[in-house]
Amino acid sequence: MSRAAGPAGGSAQGEDEPGRADPEDPLEAADPGPGPSDADLLAAHVAGDPDAFGTLFLRHRDRLWAVAVRTMGDREEAADALQEAMISASRRAGTFRGDAAVTSWLHRIVVNSCLDLIRRNRVRRTEPLHPGADRDLALIAAEDPTRRIESAELAAIVEQALSRLNADQRAALVLVDMEQMPVAEAAVELGVPRGTVKSRCARGRARLAELLAPFRDSF
């Protein structure tokens, strides 16, 4: 599978790529418009249609790319994770049970691919928690700040702030705040206790609010 997900290299700054996903809600399912549904395309892929999965990927590429960038905090690593995720999704398409939207299924595979890459990276380096992450909890946003972005410029600010969180906090926020995954389920995905997930989310939200404080009037 060709590396279709954005330019390699650099940290997560600037507009989402490829194709500039809607920054206000990068996880909102795209309207497939006329033509086969997502489930139909997935079924056609399982049945042997050589073009069906590529069509499905192109339909949701922007939002899947946004998930990968926000989870990894680095565009080159996000591209690697997204490529691995789509290879996995293609191979596992026959396991899709239809009890959730295809987009949710794809998002989950992308997040899991990112978490796998983060775990592999941790073998080579350890990222300490930010020393000020416990303070100013009053600044914690009531919702994922990326959902209130009104322009590509503000989206770039949030992308840069997310990239400055450590990988553990970023992954927890993506699962709980962006993917709306229950804390218990996120704990299983991350392989840590529920309390650790809650702590990482609180620290990450506080740190994110701290980084975004100079831009508060823009939100």
Side-chain angles (χ1 to χ4, degrees):
M1 177 177 176
S2 62
R3 186 156 163 162
S11 60
Q13 301 181 18
E15 298 176 354
D16 288 333
E17 297 191 21
R20 293 184 177 85
D22 177 7
E24 186 169 351
D25 189 356
L27 301 182
E28 179 182 340
D31 180 3
S37 68
D38 292 345
D40 289 339
L41 285 172
L42 200 60
H45 168 66
V46 173
D49 185 329
D51 301 319
F53 191 82
T55 300
L56 178 65
F57 171 67
L58 290 175
R59 179 179 289 178
H60 301 292
R61 177 182 59 179
D62 291 349
R63 288 164 177 82
L64 296 174
W65 170 245
V67 171
V69 170
R70 282 163 171 76
T71 307
M72 297 305 305
D74 178 273
R75 289 177 176 271
E76 183 174 1
E77 292 186 343
D80 289 340
L82 181 55
Q83 177 172 294
E84 291 182 9
M86 290 303 97
I87 292 173
S88 176
S90 176
R91 292 173 176 171
R92 295 168 49 193
T95 68
F96 177 71
R97 299 188 303 271
D99 53 357
V102 173
T103 50
S104 297
W105 180 74
L106 290 172
H107 287 159
R108 184 67 56 83
I109 292 176
V110 170
V111 169
N112 286 340
S113 178
C114 290
L115 295 177
D116 286 342
L117 184 54
I118 289 171
R119 292 184 188 106
R120 293 199 298 270
N121 287 344
R122 189 169 291 122
V123 173
R124 299 192 299 270
R125 67 178 185 269
T126 301
E127 296 177 280
L129 292 175
H130 186 274
D134 282 322
R135 66 185 180 84
D136 296 333
L137 292 181
L139 294 177
I140 293 176
E143 60 182 12
D144 174 20
T146 60
R147 295 185 181 277
R148 296 178 291 161
I149 299 303
E150 298 178 351
S151 70
E153 180 178 342
L154 292 179
I157 292 172
V158 174
E159 293 286 3
Q160 186 174 10
L162 281 168
S163 73
R164 293 178 63 182
L165 299 182
N166 73 59
D168 287 336
Q169 294 169 5
R170 193 165 56 241
L173 286 179
V174 168
L175 290 178
V176 176
D177 288 353
M178 298 175 65
E179 288 292 309
Q180 298 297 302
M181 184 182 293
V183 170
E185 190 174 345
V188 173
E189 293 286 351
L190 296 171
V192 297
R194 297 181 189 181
T196 300
V197 174
K198 293 178 181 179
S199 175
R200 289 176 180 177
C201 285
R203 292 167 185 263
R205 291 177 192 134
R207 177 59 175 153
L208 194 59
E210 179 182 316
L211 292 169
L212 294 176
F215 309 98
R216 184 176 296 278
D217 292 340
S218 300
F219 288 89

